[in-house]
Amino acid sequence: MKTVLVIGGGGREHAIVDALSRSPQVGKIYCAPGNAGIGLQAENVPLKDTDVEGLKSFAIGHGVDLTVVGPEAALAAGIVDAFRAAGLKIFGHTQAATAIESSKEFAKRMMSKYGIPTASYRSFSDYDEALAYVSSRPFPAVLKYDGLAAGKGVVIAADLDEARKALADMLLDHAFGQGKVVVEDFLTGPEFSFLCFVDGERVYPMPLSQDHKRAFDGDKGPNTGGMGAYTGLPFITPEDRDFAFKEIMQKAASAMCSEGLPLSGVLYGGLMKTPQGIKVIEFNARFGDPETEVVLPLLKSDIYDIFEGVSAGRPVAEPVWSDYVTLGVVLASKGYPGSYQKGFEIEGLDHVDAQVYHMGTVLRDGRLLTNGGRVLMVVCRGKNLAEVRSSVYGQLSRIRCGNLFFRKDIAH
Ligand code: AMP
Ligand code: GLY
């Protein structure tokens, strides 16, 4: 039996642990740092996801056969390079290849060089030049900090005042670091997420999903990490999906090989169906959260084979997916994505007849407590969206906690 270490501690990692626990080859699963829900299916290890040396020693000391990386911070910290150098098997991209997510400028340059459809752009390191360019163009203006910025690096400025403030934060005050700013055209249309397992030129697609990023119903309120997601997108045709697969995901994988930075892990296309066709909004070098929680429950194949094959650079059998659709709703702490309190007791989970993934929970003296902005995600599957929507919302009402809210219109 294989021993697996999963890095991370959110809903995404819970879904990965859950998929691994369905593999007949997998025995022991460790998760660092994990959370209360993950702790029911794996052994939590109190190490940070970016503690590369600590994690490496742990993997060596505990006979770990394969490590699977969830968060981009661990990839950007070079965990894959360090593990490989020590002869350890790990699923995830090298630090250099993670640039497809961690550098907006690198990603835009790569897309324009290889003809991958995306908004046209220019990049700037000088505040005055950036401001002059933005002033000469229509609003809204899309401004993206060129580096990891914990989800806060993209500003859609409605007017010149907003643009001036955002550019000053990024280029004068260096709020996120010394990076440049990418200014790109504003696109419109529904967004969706295309996750693929990628091993060099080999690309294995997962079912498409859509995340709901705004905090409140009707897509109102501030941007969050994601308040819910579903599969079975009604607005995507089979032709759209083929186009996105061949002209975007496969092309990006090939482009990274041509650049000498072959991918080995998950490539996440954040795509938009615009009136001019499907275009890339961003690439991520990892599983999405909350998309993973609705995608992986549909996987019929053994996920260990996929992780192991991709990490070894060996072809794997085309993954098989269920025809069901899934829908998941996030329960978040009141106040999120702004400031919120932790430590509220959660009750009623025993009575929920659905998959519950823990995003931010902790067990203290036998009581399950809230421990993050996003706390739980309830996922159901069924034959169509109407059916799963009513199942999820029916099950949600069984969870009792004094400090949670959720959107009532996921997959509206
Ligand atoms: P990103 O981090 O690049 O995914 O951007 C965060 C969000 O900003 C996206 O999910 C979009 O909703 C929005 N966004 C980013 N780029 C554009 C664009 N070129 N046009 C319109 N909206 C955008
Ligand atoms: N759901 C958005 C992300 O994972 O980046």
Side-chain angles (χ1 to χ4, degrees), residues 27-367:
K28 181 85 187 169
I29 307 175
Y30 294 104
C31 188
N35 64 37
I38 291 173
L40 302 174
Q41 290 175 277
E43 184 175 331
N44 291 332
V45 178
L47 290 171
K48 268 190 67 177
D49 59 13
T50 51
D51 178 3
V52 174
E53 283 308 308
L55 291 164
K56 195 171 82 182
S57 306
F58 181 88
I60 293 168
H62 291 77
V64 169
D65 294 294
L66 174 70
T67 298
V68 179
V69 186
E72 68 276 19
L75 299 171
I79 192 167
V80 171
D81 312 69
F83 271 54
R84 285 192 188 159
L88 296 166
K89 243 185 238 170
I90 185 163
F91 176 85
H93 312 291
T94 61
Q95 185 177 45
T98 302
I100 198 168
E101 169 167 2
S102 59
S103 168
K104 301 273 186 200
E105 200 197 11
F106 171 84
K108 295 298 284 191
R109 215 179 325 116
M110 188 267 288
M111 287 186 262
S112 85
K113 180 167 169 189
Y114 295 91
I116 297 170
T118 189
S120 51
Y121 78 105
R122 280 187 56 185
S123 63
F124 298 91
S125 45
D126 182 78
Y127 170 80
D128 293 315
E129 281 174 28
L131 190 64
Y133 178 71
V134 168
S135 312
S136 72
R137 296 172 33 84
F139 283 91
V142 181
L143 312 173
K144 299 187 176 183
Y145 176 72
D146 182 37
L148 291 177
K152 299 197 165 60
V154 176
V155 174
I156 313 284
D159 53 38
L160 190 57
D161 270 354
E162 275 183 40
R164 195 180 284 127
K165 189 182 167 306
L167 288 173
D169 280 352
M170 294 179 192
L171 290 174
L172 295 178
D173 301 338
H174 304 291
F176 309 115
Q178 295 296 323
K180 295 183 186 177
V181 169
V182 168
V183 180
E184 66 178 40
D185 288 351
F186 179 75
L187 304 178
T188 56
E191 289 179 62
F192 61 102
S193 305
F194 200 165
L195 276 59
C196 296
F197 298 103
V198 182
D199 166 24
E201 299 271 359
R202 288 186 280 271
V203 183
Y204 308 96
M206 301 185 221
L208 301 179
S209 57
Q210 189 183 42
D211 176 14
H212 290 51
K213 287 193 174 140
R214 301 293 203 97
F216 308 129
D217 287 356
D219 290 326
K220 303 246 163 46
N223 257 320
T224 69
M227 295 297 294
Y230 67 99
T231 61
L233 311 186
F235 58 91
I236 295 293
T237 64
E239 294 74 31
D240 289 336
R241 189 219 165 262
D242 280 357
F243 177 88
F245 183 59
K246 295 199 182 91
E247 299 301 320
I248 296 177
M249 305 307 291
Q250 282 190 322
K251 258 194 186 171
S254 296
M256 292 298 282
C257 291
S258 305
E259 293 293 301
L261 301 170
L263 294 171
S264 165
V266 171
L267 179 63
Y268 164 139
L271 312 182
M272 188 185 269
K273 183 172 174 174
T274 78
Q276 290 77 39
I278 295 174
K279 300 198 180 189
V280 178
I281 293 291
E282 65 165 348
F283 282 121
N284 291 318
R286 51 170 176 80
F287 281 107
D289 193 353
E291 289 93 331
T292 307
E293 293 93 309
V294 292
V295 168
L296 288 187
L298 296 174
L299 180 63
K300 290 187 179 172
S301 311
D302 184 337
I303 202 166
Y304 184 85
D305 286 335
I306 303 173
F307 285 151
E308 199 275 333
V310 168
S311 69
R314 204 174 348 93
V316 301
E318 192 63 37
V320 180
W321 302 92
S322 151
D323 291 331
Y324 282 112
V325 301
T326 44
L327 187 152
V329 176
V330 172
L331 292 114
S333 296
K334 287 179 184 163
Y336 172 78
S339 61
Y340 55 84
Q341 291 181 306
K342 298 181 188 179
F344 290 84
E345 184 161 11
I346 304 164
E347 292 174 294
L349 286 189
D350 291 350
H351 303 292
V352 176
D353 183 18
Q355 182 71 54
V356 179
Y357 291 120
H358 291 234
M359 305 181 95
T361 59
V362 66
L363 206 54
R364 217 162 270 147
D365 304 326
R367 293 163 59 214

